[in-house]
Amino acid sequence: MSYMQTPQRPLPGAYVQTPAVSNYPSLQSRYTTSRSNSALNQQHQHQLQQQQQPQQYGSQPQGRSLGQQSQTGAPAVHKVPSEDVKPIARAAKAINEALEQESRFPELDNYIGQGISSDYDVSSQVAWAPFQRIKMYTIPDRIFEQYNQAQVSTMMGLFAEFNHAWVAIDNALYLWDYTHPNPQLIGFEDQPNTITAVRLVVPRAGVFVSTISRLLVVATTAEVILVGFSAQALASGGLSVSLYSLRMSVSVKGIDVNVIEGSGTTGRIFFSGRVNDDVYELTYQQEEKWFQNRCAKINHTKKGYSTFAPLPIFGQRTQQEVVTQMIADESRNLLYTLSSKSTIRTFHMKPNGALDLAITKTLANTLGNLTHMTQSELITQSMVIVAISAVSAQEASKIHLVATTSSGCRIFMSATSTYWSYTMTSNAPTSMQVQHVKFPPVDSSLVHETQASTSTSTQMTTYSATAGINTSSKALLPTRSAARYAPGYFLCLVTRDPQSGTDLLFMSGPDSGRIMRPQDPSRLSRYAELGMWLNLGSRAEDVDLASRPFSAARTPTGFGNELAVQYDKSASEIAILTNTGVHTFRRRRLVDIFAAALRGGRGEDGLDGEVKKFIRLYGRSEMASTALAVACKQGVDVTSDSRVAKISDPDVLEQARKVFIEHGGKPQFNVNSVVDQSLPEIDLVRPSPRYDGLSLYMSRLVRAIWKAPIAIEQTNLTGGLSVASAVPLKKLQETAEALSELKEFLNTNKSFIEGLAGPEALGDVTTKQEEVSLQAEHRALHALVVLINNIIEGIAFVLVLYDEKIEDIMLSLPNEIRQQVRNLTYEGLFSTDNGKNLAKELVKAIVNRNIASGSNVETVAEALRRRCGSFCSEDDVLIFKSQELVKRASEVGADAEVSREHLNESLKLFKRVAENMSMEQLQWAVEQYVSMQFYAGAIQLCLVKAQESDRGNRALAWIQDGRPEADNRSLAFEFRKKCYNLVHEVIISLERAQREPPDMADGRYTVGSRRRQEAFQEIDMSEDEVFQTDLYDWYLSNGEPDRLLKVESPYIITYLQRKASDDIEHADLLWRYYTQAERYQDAAVVQLALGKSAFRLGLDRRIEYLSRAKANASTIRPGIARPARTEVLREVSDLLDVANIQDDLLQRLKGDSRIAADRKPSVTQALDGKILSLSELYNSYAEPALYFDLCILIYEAADHRSPSDIRSTWQNLLERVHEETADGTETQPYEAIGEQVRSLGKRLGLSETMFPVSDLLPMLMRYAFEFQRDLVPDTWALDLFIDLQVPFETIYAVLEAMYYNDEPPFMGRNRRFICNDVVYVVRLWFQDSTRGTGQVFGGEENAAAISQMLHLMVQSGLRESRLEECQTLRMRIENMLR
């Protein structure tokens, strides 16, 4: 068993009852409307729980953010911390999620599955009617006048697409604009035959001039005539229709044409007659060809031999089957025909012009399919199919056709070419099956002739079960005719009493909200419809769609989402022509229904009831979105004077506002996700349905422009560039107006909307969870508010762009920027940094274009700032004004006084907006300044820009911390360096200018010279330490270190000190700078540090540094404390002594033949570098190598005072030197020893400790007596010490001690050698002491002692030469003593 990991830290507010201390305990709620849970919220608390279950087909559960997945059961994914997401990016993500969700609206095949249904909501409330009558237009009296003169036949029909109706009276055809109060009749009376059929079709492309947009196909008893049809828009808003004679016709005698159909994509025209079920095609072309007329007909169903088929036997005749309806499906290249025997035939329209019969679906075959699905009295042998309607491939991938029966049932059929493989445009289908049957609504005997029935039927059962589905309703019996339009508008004409001459009209439309959001998420969506009844009061002659065909998407998925386009596209309109006039109906959008429901609600109970119903049917998020739309005046109603106008009733708007605020739900804290420590608390909150509604409403407002490019480049007829808007500018304006209305609503009501109310709302929270939830709600809503502002300003900017000459602007852009602008969508413009940057590039192009044309830039920029401030801010205006001043200065000339004024003024403005200047703008300004010799201004601007970009001085802190890698502060330095690089370029320009004209002219500085001095003064006086640091780096990188020695800035020392520890060149520059500034003590400190440093320096270089340091430290300067100077001098001297010893070792080892050649480099390398310690020098090198003289020097440096060690080392030294020179021929051993002693004596300074004369003199005398008696002079040892200026008194004392000690080898007779030496030293001492005015031998006492010693010497057996000398000396001393 695994256990949950213990959280690393407690999470405040993780429990429901954990109280949270309010941050604003003294503030009370400022809401003027109640923020507590209303009775409605309390009653529907259980609904909120149910609506949080996962939804299918893109449905939006209540209380869940758009596109948010269930927290449970989902795989763990890495999420970006919410703090890293900008508000605009968060809002854009919400819009994309809303658009993505709505694009997943189920296709028709998903909610019309295999089976039956009868889901209708036929409400008695007018507010919930799916359609609304707009107006009834009467037939002009002149039509009735012509009608009364009819002799053979009359026909009527609609061209509702152009707001025209037509009537055929015998051989004449009349058209009129039924929307015009006094329309002009357009007649076609140029042929004598009775008109049998009329149809308006789309012509084949390229056959006629572009003015002729349609062909009027007029069928008569003798021929079919093609008439050109043109419709031009009038300034008043109507249409002007004109007919043109094309002189195209084909004979159809004996066919009696009654049905005509055209293909809108190919321009093919098909027809059939009342004689048989043959299908003909009318072909037409521009000119006649060999064996081919301009107009001809082709029979696609009967071949030539069929003419000779045998006649019925004995004259038996049956009712002839004829075609009653034709429908073309251009999306699948299919043509459907319905015969008088309810047989449906499917023809394949091939690209080569052929028309092949693919499927024949008889009524018996259809009934056979139906009996397998249901048993109903409405589906019998007596049933006939009265109408068929094609379903395009764009609307459904499986369902092809809808057939309506005389009993009011709708049969949905699908055609296939292979098993479960649905037909494509290139393949002909082979079979057709019934897919679904939609039965009529519940029958009721209380159908009002003026409005709707009082009964309502909303059965909600699955298609696979028949329980609860009414399959016996006779409400639509008998159905005379029917029509269906995408995405499912159904119009059924019912003739209850044929004698009355009136029709009942049943109209229904899909309930997109319920289809999108099924009440039972575990099952598929149902084909829910809203229906209504209407008594036309007359007989309907034709039904036609008066608006463009509906389409919410280009694919079946999302096609039928009416909710998504209710603010984006005009509502569908349908016209019905009766024998009394034209009735126009408008599809009511959900927002219109909700507005009408709010208006119809009486009292609070009535309003709450409507809101409850809306939430139950469509969810709280959809309710919030719709209420917000109504509050923003998106609701539309038909006024009393039959005008379609927006609802601006204050009561309705106020009720919608209250619904949005009070019933928008609350954010929810997901307690189950608390264990996920990787997410901040705020990310565990699901925003409220109010937030979902707002984002949903916004997405529907911008859906038409969101993914569209802002500009499309084209080539015009002359080959030049033409730039067009991908979205009509009027649409952009409408979107901006709707968003402005939304912005105003949010601003006005933000104190009442939870999440926008500000910090005051925190005063009402009671738990930590509520506080976090409120913060999350605010974050989400604030992001959407920011996006609203961005979209409004972005649209304003695009409109400004098209107000200018956009072609010139695009051509002025660099190729890279131009390509990015081509690819820029409105989404990118509104919500990305790249989009805003490209917009600024376009703004610059606009301004530059105006500058080039001489326009006032300030006026243009100010206009841009007012309309789209985020794209052209106040700072941008100042930048443009500064650029204009620079341009004026360049036009006047660099040397003019006015030019200087313009430049100085531009510099002031540039410095004010330096923080928001781009690098391109800065570089442009610097280049212009340099070209006009405004060097100081260029430098100032660069330095100000650098400092403004890094006000916290993070770059300096990064430098002071040693420039660590992977540090975000380095980015601040890199940006500042770009500014400093521009200063470097200015300096280069300055130096180049210095070499051209002289600095002086007529004894005065030239203008150029003064400007250069001002520039260098700006550099030297700059207090930007980062700049100074970068400048010094630049000098060094250019190989100009001496320039640093001339710098007088206080930052140079700091710079060199910072660099000295890492770079030898900087350290050298530092002590040189100190020496030049006569700061010798500081120079000595640096040189001492160099001597001890870890740099890769040779020993000789270190000795040089130490020698210089000793010299500098010995220099006395005022202001330097003596103890400090003495301390530095002592340390330098000691280290220098060690370095000299190490150098001696190095040189000695280099020439030492005892060291192997392969080892010598490593030994010398170890010594030729860092100064080692005395212990290491002694133990590792001097002592093992038997360099006894160096050992003695190490003793001296280390202050080692052991007499025995010193004595033994001297003895070893003498022996070593003797051994090395004993066999030599050039130098005698005693000479080498003498030179060694003399050298050490001088280096040791005759130190009493390291150079003990009392030991050395006897040692040398014994050496001379024992080893060099015959070679060495008698007084060699004495002369050696006398040459070293050892005092005679010291030498005499040593000799005296040797005489009395009687030590070997000077014992017995050998003592005379000591006596001779004593006499020799006394003589020299006597001579030395008598030269001056001082006392002989330093005093009478010494003289008396020496006299006695000489007396003793006389008795010791001196040599004759010494004896005489001794006696003489004694006599002279005695004489002096007397």
Side-chain angles (χ1 to χ4, degrees):
M1 178 180 295
S2 61
Y3 296 92
M4 184 183 301
Q5 184 177 359
T6 302
Q8 297 179 358
R9 59 181 177 84
L11 180 63
Y15 300 96
V16 178
Q17 301 302 327
T18 303
V21 180
S22 172
N23 294 330
Y24 305 92
S26 61
L27 297 178
Q28 300 297 325
S29 174
R30 298 183 182 180
Y31 288 13
T32 58
T33 60
S34 174
R35 297 181 67 250
S36 61
N37 290 333
S38 64
L40 174 65
N41 291 332
Q42 295 173 359
Q43 292 173 5
H44 290 278
Q45 199 63 247
H46 68 282
Q47 294 181 2
L48 183 63
Q49 302 295 330
Q50 296 176 354
Q51 294 166 1
Q52 290 172 0
Q53 301 299 323
Q55 305 293 303
Q56 297 183 8
Y57 307 112
S59 60
Q60 175 59 39
Q62 172 186 346
R64 184 185 298 274
S65 300
L66 294 172
Q68 184 174 359
Q69 300 299 321
S70 174
Q71 298 291 335
T72 61
V77 295
H78 175 71
K79 297 184 179 180
V80 178
S82 60
E83 293 79 359
D84 296 340
V85 181
K86 294 182 179 179
I88 196 69
R90 181 177 289 108
K93 179 182 178 183
I95 298 301
N96 282 318
E97 289 176 348
L99 293 173
E100 175 63 23
Q101 177 196 12
E102 297 215 301
S103 69
R104 295 194 299 267
F105 183 89
E107 61 178 293
L108 187 64
D109 299 323
N110 286 347
Y111 57 86
I112 301 183
Q114 188 76 28
I116 63 175
S117 66
S118 63
D119 298 333
Y120 295 91
D121 187 349
V122 184
S123 175
S124 61
Q125 299 180 19
V126 178
W128 289 85
F131 295 90
Q132 186 177 25
R133 188 201 299 266
I134 302 176
K135 191 174 183 179
M136 199 280 283
Y137 300 95
T138 59
I139 298 176
D141 293 339
R142 282 175 293 177
I143 296 296
F144 285 112
E145 292 174 2
Q146 297 292 333
Y147 182 82
N148 292 331
Q149 298 177 7
Q151 297 179 359
V152 179
S153 67
T154 59
M155 299 173 60
M156 299 181 70
L158 286 170
F159 302 146
E161 178 184 359
F162 300 100
N163 295 335
H164 274 62
W166 61 269
V167 59
I169 303 174
D170 294 338
N171 66 326
L173 176 66
Y174 300 100
L175 285 72
W176 76 95
D177 184 352
Y178 60 77
T179 62
H180 198 282
N182 187 21
Q184 177 184 1
L185 291 184
I186 304 171
F188 176 70
E189 305 170 326
D190 296 340
Q191 58 85 30
N193 302 306
T194 300
I195 297 174
T196 60
V198 176
R199 185 71 170 173
L200 196 64
V201 298
V202 178
R204 190 167 67 249
V207 177
F208 306 105
V209 295
S210 59
T211 306
I212 298 178
S213 60
R214 298 289 188 276
L215 286 179
L216 184 61
V217 185
V218 180
T220 69
T221 55
E223 59 184 350
V224 173
I225 306 170
L226 299 183
V227 181
F229 183 96
S230 172
Q232 303 293 329
L234 299 176
S236 59
L239 291 173
S240 173
V241 170
S242 301
L243 301 181
Y244 300 91
S245 175
L246 302 177
R247 292 182 297 177
M248 285 186 174
S249 63
V250 64
S251 175
V252 291
K253 289 183 179 180
I255 298 178
D256 194 9
V257 176
N258 67 328
V259 178
I260 304 173
E261 178 65 1
S263 171
T265 57
T266 62
R268 299 175 71 176
I269 302 173
F270 304 96
F271 63 90
S272 185
R274 296 185 179 91
V275 177
N276 52 38
D277 59 351
D278 291 350
V279 175
Y280 297 85
E281 181 177 357
L282 189 151
T283 63
Y284 55 96
Q285 58 189 11
Q286 220 170 16
E287 299 177 353
E288 290 187 3
K289 298 181 181 179
W290 286 100
F291 307 107
Q292 192 173 4
N293 296 326
R294 293 183 63 200
C295 201
K297 70 176 184 293
I298 301 174
N299 188 338
H300 286 290
T301 54
K302 292 292 192 296
K303 308 303 179 183
Y305 61 84
S306 63
T307 307
F308 305 98
L311 294 174
I313 302 175
F314 305 113
Q316 295 178 358
R317 293 183 178 273
T318 59
Q319 183 179 2
Q320 182 64 40
E321 183 179 15
V322 299
V323 175
T324 59
Q325 187 180 3
M326 280 187 184
I327 297 293
D329 182 0
E330 294 91 349
S331 65
R332 295 186 175 94
N333 288 335
L334 297 179
L335 177 69
Y336 304 103
T337 65
L338 174 65
S339 74
S340 56
K341 294 185 178 180
S342 298
T343 298
I344 300 173
R345 292 179 174 86
T346 304
F347 296 86
H348 185 218
M349 297 184 290
K350 291 188 174 181
N352 60 3
L355 184 72
D356 294 342
L357 177 62
I359 304 172
T360 299
K361 185 78 171 178
T362 63
L363 179 61
N365 186 276
T366 302
L367 290 173
N369 293 157
L370 293 174
T371 55
H372 289 86
M373 300 176 65
T374 182
Q375 298 293 328
S376 171
E377 58 183 301
L378 300 179
I379 301 176
T380 62
Q381 293 289 342
S382 61
M383 175 196 76
V384 296
I385 297 177
V386 297
I388 58 173
S389 300
V391 178
S392 68
Q394 185 181 2
E395 183 178 0
S397 57
K398 184 177 180 181
I399 295 175
H400 288 55
L401 191 69
V402 179
T404 305
T405 68
S406 56
S407 58
C409 297
R410 277 174 285 170
I411 304 173
F412 294 84
M413 300 182 177
S414 63
T416 60
S417 57
T418 58
Y419 186 73
W420 290 116
S421 176
Y422 305 119
T423 60
M424 308 303 290
T425 57
S426 59
N427 300 323
T430 57
S431 64
M432 180 176 285
Q433 300 84 25
V434 174
Q435 188 74 19
H436 184 83
V437 179
K438 184 68 179 282
F439 285 92
V442 174
D443 192 7
S444 175
S445 60
L446 301 175
V447 178
H448 295 283
E449 292 185 351
T450 58
Q451 214 163 64
S453 74
T454 58
S455 64
T456 301
S457 174
T458 56
Q459 295 88 353
M460 294 297 174
T461 59
T462 60
Y463 297 145
S464 58
T466 58
I469 298 179
N470 192 329
T471 61
S472 60
S473 173
K474 299 180 180 180
L476 299 181
L477 189 67
T479 295
R480 182 173 65 85
S481 181
R484 179 194 181 275
Y485 303 102
Y489 307 145
F490 177 59
L491 289 85
C492 186
L493 296 170
V494 181
T495 305
R496 296 286 177 85
D497 183 5
Q499 302 300 323
S500 65
T502 61
D503 288 333
L504 283 177
L505 174 64
F506 177 74
M507 305 177 72
S508 67
D511 193 348
S512 300
R514 288 162 61 190
I515 294 173
M516 180 105 175
R517 180 186 173 275
Q519 291 188 347
D520 186 356
S522 64
R523 296 183 178 179
L524 296 177
S525 300
R526 295 172 180 81
Y527 189 14
E529 291 184 276
L530 294 175
M532 61 179 289
W533 286 93
L534 193 71
N535 192 337
L536 293 177
S538 56
R539 179 182 173 85
E541 300 292 339
D542 196 7
V543 178
D544 198 8
L545 188 64
S547 58
R548 295 179 62 86
F550 178 87
S551 172
R554 297 179 180 179
T555 59
T557 301
F559 177 89
N561 193 351
E562 293 185 273
L563 302 181
V565 297
Q566 58 182 326
Y567 317 120
D568 179 42
K569 296 183 178 181
S570 300
S572 298
E573 293 186 7
I574 298 173
I576 300 177
L577 175 63
T578 68
N579 52 17
T580 58
V582 178
H583 302 259
T584 56
F585 296 89
R586 176 180 176 275
R587 169 64 165 168
R588 298 184 75 181
R589 306 168 301 170
L590 191 62
V591 62
D592 305 330
I593 293 176
F594 187 69
L598 293 178
R599 174 182 287 172
R602 295 292 183 266
E604 289 296 326
D605 293 338
L607 176 62
D608 278 353
E610 296 295 340
V611 173
K612 289 178 185 179
K613 179 179 179 181
F614 213 88
I615 293 175
R616 184 183 73 252
L617 294 177
Y618 307 114
R620 196 176 292 271
S621 297
E622 189 65 55
M623 183 274 302
S625 174
T626 309
L628 180 60
V630 174
C632 293
K633 304 176 183 177
Q634 287 287 351
V636 172
D637 198 3
V638 178
T639 61
S640 58
D641 56 350
S642 299
R643 290 185 302 105
V644 178
K646 290 188 175 182
I647 297 176
S648 57
D649 186 348
D651 293 338
V652 175
L653 300 183
E654 175 61 21
Q655 288 176 339
R657 184 190 75 88
K658 291 178 63 178
V659 169
F660 176 75
I661 293 174
E662 297 180 1
H663 301 291
K666 291 181 177 294
Q668 288 193 345
F669 189 90
N670 191 346
V671 181
N672 296 328
S673 297
V674 171
V675 294
D676 186 1
Q677 297 292 332
S678 63
L679 292 177
E681 292 178 352
I682 197 171
D683 285 347
L684 303 179
V685 178
R686 288 197 299 267
S688 67
R690 183 187 299 106
Y691 162 78
D692 294 339
L694 175 57
S695 59
L696 191 60
Y697 177 57
M698 288 177 58
S699 70
R700 290 170 178 173
L701 291 179
V702 301
R703 73 184 307 273
I705 68 174
W706 189 252
K707 297 294 184 181
I710 66 169
I712 299 177
E713 290 190 5
Q714 300 171 337
T715 303
N716 55 30
L717 296 177
T718 62
L721 176 67
S722 173
V723 180
S725 174
V727 179
L729 299 183
K730 183 179 179 181
K731 179 62 182 176
L732 290 176
Q733 294 171 347
E734 292 173 353
T735 303
E737 291 172 0
L739 287 168
S740 298
E741 188 74 31
L742 174 60
K743 177 183 176 181
E744 182 181 356
F745 173 84
L746 295 176
N747 287 338
T748 303
N749 297 280
K750 64 181 181 181
S751 59
F752 309 130
I753 299 174
E754 185 174 318
L756 290 180
E760 308 86 49
L762 291 174
D764 294 340
V765 300
T766 57
T767 67
K768 179 64 176 179
Q769 288 183 4
E770 290 183 6
E771 181 180 351
V772 174
S773 299
L774 188 60
Q775 292 171 352
E777 182 81 355
H778 171 75
R779 183 183 69 172
L781 290 176
H782 171 71
L784 293 179
V785 171
V786 173
L787 181 60
I788 291 172
N789 292 329
N790 274 25
I791 296 175
I792 293 173
E793 292 192 357
I795 292 176
F797 170 72
V798 173
L799 294 176
V800 170
L801 196 62
Y802 282 98
D803 288 342
E804 299 285 332
K805 195 170 182 181
I806 189 172
E807 289 79 5
D808 293 345
I809 295 173
M810 293 292 287
L811 289 173
S812 67
L813 295 172
N815 290 333
E816 182 181 356
I817 299 298
R818 183 177 171 185
Q819 182 58 43
Q820 292 182 28
V821 173
R822 290 194 200 103
N823 299 332
L824 180 63
T825 63
Y826 283 94
E827 176 191 4
L829 177 66
F830 299 152
S831 61
T832 64
D833 292 337
N834 181 57
K836 185 156 290 188
N837 293 335
L838 289 177
K840 288 185 178 293
E841 292 291 337
L842 291 169
V843 169
K844 287 193 295 184
I846 294 173
V847 173
N848 292 335
R849 177 176 173 273
N850 283 272
I851 291 177
S853 63
S855 302
N856 190 330
V857 175
E858 189 173 359
T859 303
V860 176
E862 185 62 28
L864 284 169
R865 187 190 66 80
R866 288 196 306 269
R867 296 180 64 178
C868 42
S870 61
F871 298 98
C872 184
S873 62
E874 184 176 355
D875 288 348
D876 293 329
V877 175
L878 294 179
I879 291 174
F880 297 144
K881 186 175 181 180
S882 303
Q883 291 174 338
E884 186 177 20
L885 288 171
V886 173
K887 183 174 177 60
R888 291 179 185 175
S890 64
E891 293 172 350
V892 174
D895 296 330
E897 187 65 27
V898 177
S899 175
R900 291 289 114 178
E901 293 177 359
H902 287 331
L903 291 175
N904 286 321
E905 183 63 25
S906 70
L907 177 61
K908 291 180 182 178
L909 296 178
F910 273 136
K911 288 165 70 174
R912 284 174 56 186
V913 297
E915 181 181 5
N916 295 320
M917 284 183 68
S918 67
M919 285 304 301
E920 291 78 7
Q921 292 168 337
L922 177 64
Q923 186 172 1
W924 179 88
V926 170
E927 290 174 355
Q928 297 298 316
Y929 283 168
V930 171
S931 66
M932 289 178 280
Q933 298 183 355
F934 192 38
Y935 305 114
I939 294 171
Q940 277 189 44
L941 182 57
C942 292
L943 297 182
V944 171
K945 173 62 179 177
Q947 290 177 328
E948 288 295 325
S949 69
D950 182 25
R951 291 186 176 181
N953 234 354
R954 299 172 73 243
L956 179 60
W958 178 69
I959 292 174
Q960 292 173 342
D961 290 345
R963 309 191 183 202
E965 297 181 359
D967 193 319
N968 289 334
R969 295 176 298 177
S970 63
L971 300 178
F973 173 78
E974 291 299 328
F975 184 86
R976 294 180 73 160
K977 182 165 177 55
K978 293 179 181 178
C979 303
Y980 301 148
N981 289 340
L982 294 177
V983 178
H984 301 163
E985 295 178 7
V986 176
I987 295 174
I988 293 173
S989 300
L990 280 169
E991 294 173 345
R992 188 183 303 116
Q994 279 182 332
R995 296 192 293 267
E996 296 176 358
D999 290 342
M1000 303 288 291
D1002 298 330
R1004 299 193 312 181
Y1005 286 104
T1006 61
V1007 175
S1009 176
R1010 289 200 303 271
R1011 291 172 180 172
R1012 290 192 293 271
Q1013 290 178 359
E1014 292 173 357
F1016 283 115
Q1017 187 176 6
E1018 286 292 336
I1019 294 173
D1020 293 337
M1021 298 296 292
S1022 173
E1023 296 181 357
D1024 186 349
E1025 186 174 352
V1026 181
F1027 163 66
Q1028 296 289 358
T1029 300
D1030 180 74
L1031 179 65
Y1032 304 150
D1033 287 339
W1034 183 65
Y1035 284 156
L1036 291 176
S1037 66
N1038 291 340
E1040 300 176 294
D1042 291 341
R1043 294 190 68 163
L1044 271 64
L1045 301 178
K1046 300 176 183 178
V1047 175
E1048 297 181 359
S1049 170
Y1051 299 112
I1052 181 62
I1053 293 178
T1054 304
Y1055 168 81
L1056 293 175
Q1057 286 176 341
R1058 187 184 302 120
K1059 296 279 190 176
S1061 59
D1062 300 325
D1063 185 66
I1064 184 66
E1065 294 182 3
H1066 290 84
D1068 279 339
L1069 286 172
L1070 180 58
W1071 68 258
R1072 288 175 62 191
Y1073 189 88
Y1074 280 142
T1075 304
Q1076 181 176 284
E1078 297 184 353
R1079 295 174 59 174
Y1080 302 113
Q1081 181 72 12
D1082 294 330
V1085 171
V1086 176
Q1087 290 162 342
L1088 173 61
L1090 283 172
K1092 299 188 297 184
S1093 69
F1095 292 127
R1096 296 177 63 88
L1097 296 174
L1099 187 58
D1100 56 343
R1101 188 89 177 272
R1102 295 178 186 273
I1103 293 174
E1104 179 185 352
Y1105 284 132
L1106 294 174
S1107 300
R1108 291 179 180 272
K1110 187 173 183 179
N1112 287 323
S1114 302
T1115 303
I1116 300 176
R1117 293 287 297 172
I1120 304 298
R1122 183 179 181 86
R1125 184 175 63 85
T1126 303
E1127 178 64 23
V1128 172
L1129 182 59
R1130 183 196 62 77
E1131 186 177 358
V1132 171
S1133 299
D1134 291 347
L1135 192 60
L1136 182 59
D1137 290 340
V1138 177
N1140 286 326
I1141 295 172
Q1142 185 170 329
D1143 185 58
D1144 289 340
L1145 268 172
L1146 175 62
Q1147 301 306 322
R1148 191 78 60 84
L1149 288 170
K1150 283 182 179 180
D1152 198 328
S1153 59
R1154 294 175 298 170
I1155 303 176
D1158 58 341
R1159 188 170 175 269
K1160 184 171 293 186
S1162 62
V1163 174
T1164 56
Q1165 183 179 0
L1167 289 172
D1168 192 12
K1170 188 176 180 181
I1171 299 175
L1172 305 179
S1173 66
L1174 289 171
S1175 297
E1176 188 173 358
L1177 292 176
Y1178 180 83
N1179 294 319
S1180 300
Y1181 298 98
E1183 199 273 338
L1186 305 179
Y1187 298 151
F1188 299 113
D1189 54 340
L1190 298 183
C1191 290
I1192 294 171
L1193 293 176
I1194 292 173
Y1195 291 161
E1196 172 67 15
D1199 197 21
H1200 183 70
R1201 297 177 178 272
S1202 174
S1204 59
D1205 291 344
I1206 296 172
R1207 187 182 307 110
S1208 62
T1209 303
W1210 273 104
Q1211 184 64 45
N1212 291 335
L1213 173 62
L1214 298 181
E1215 294 176 358
R1216 177 71 175 170
V1217 173
H1218 177 78
E1219 291 174 358
E1220 290 177 351
T1221 57
D1223 298 333
T1225 57
E1226 296 181 359
T1227 304
Q1228 295 296 328
Y1230 76 90
E1231 293 176 345
I1233 291 177
E1235 186 60 31
Q1236 186 69 263
V1237 173
R1238 183 180 291 107
S1239 174
L1240 281 176
K1242 291 178 179 180
R1243 291 188 64 175
L1244 295 172
L1246 301 179
S1247 169
E1248 293 182 0
T1249 305
M1250 297 300 129
F1251 195 80
V1253 178
S1254 59
D1255 293 330
L1256 291 177
L1257 182 56
M1259 197 179 298
L1260 289 175
M1261 291 178 67
R1262 283 194 297 270
Y1263 169 74
F1265 181 80
E1266 294 178 352
F1267 298 99
Q1268 302 287 316
R1269 182 183 305 179
D1270 298 331
L1271 299 175
V1272 66
D1274 294 340
T1275 60
W1276 165 75
L1278 299 177
D1279 291 338
L1280 181 59
F1281 285 95
I1282 292 172
D1283 288 342
L1284 289 172
Q1285 297 183 358
V1286 176
F1288 290 105
E1289 184 176 3
T1290 302
I1291 299 174
Y1292 173 80
V1294 173
L1295 293 174
E1296 184 180 18
M1298 290 177 65
Y1299 177 80
Y1300 285 115
N1301 289 339
D1302 196 22
E1303 294 178 354
F1306 303 107
M1307 297 183 302
R1309 288 180 55 84
N1310 291 337
R1311 291 177 66 186
R1312 67 178 184 273
F1313 291 102
I1314 300 299
C1315 295
N1316 290 330
D1317 290 339
V1318 169
V1319 174
Y1320 177 74
V1321 170
V1322 169
R1323 178 175 63 82
L1324 293 178
W1325 189 7
F1326 178 78
Q1327 291 175 356
D1328 181 72
S1329 62
T1330 56
R1331 286 178 186 151
T1333 58
Q1335 295 181 342
V1336 178
F1337 300 120
E1340 292 183 357
E1341 184 176 352
N1342 287 344
I1346 291 173
S1347 178
Q1348 292 179 3
M1349 186 65 180
L1350 290 176
H1351 177 70
L1352 185 61
M1353 296 297 104
V1354 171
Q1355 298 176 358
S1356 299
L1358 292 172
R1359 290 197 307 267
E1360 292 183 1
S1361 59
R1362 294 296 183 191
L1363 178 61
E1364 183 179 355
E1365 184 179 357
C1366 179
Q1367 292 174 346
T1368 303
L1369 278 174
R1370 184 172 182 276
M1371 185 179 297
R1372 294 178 65 182
I1373 293 171
E1374 289 294 334
N1375 291 333
M1376 293 180 65
L1377 291 173
R1378 294 192 187 98

